[in-house]
Amino acid sequence: MTTPMFTKIRTTRTLAEADLLISSLKAAGLHPVELATWPHFSLAGADIEYSIQVPTEEVEAAKEILDSHNPPDGAT
């Protein structure tokens, strides 16, 4: 049995945004890493970032999905 390799495709500044992006990827049939099972921490005074990671073979599909949720610069 092989262990899948994971690739970080995005980071967020809030847990809520990370949960939303992970939910979008799951709804599309992808397999993002659950934040609760992936180590992340912050030091006092440091910025917190939440990493969105998917199996390496799903990177292109995941980026396409997440990019489709971002409006072009200047759009509202």
Side-chain angles (χ1 to χ4, degrees), residues 7-60:
T7 301
K8 177 171 64 172
I9 57 168
R10 179 98 30 112
T11 58
T12 68
R13 305 286 251 163
T14 67
L15 180 58
E17 183 181 6
D19 283 338
L20 180 65
L21 296 177
I22 288 171
S23 293
S24 295
L25 294 172
K26 284 183 174 183
L30 301 181
H31 304 90
V33 174
E34 291 288 339
L35 289 176
T37 62
W38 194 260
H40 60 274
F41 64 92
S42 67
L43 302 173
D47 289 332
I48 297 174
E49 289 186 339
Y50 297 92
S51 295
I52 308 300
Q53 299 188 31
V54 295
T56 301
E57 62 272 7
E58 295 179 0
V59 167
E60 291 305 316

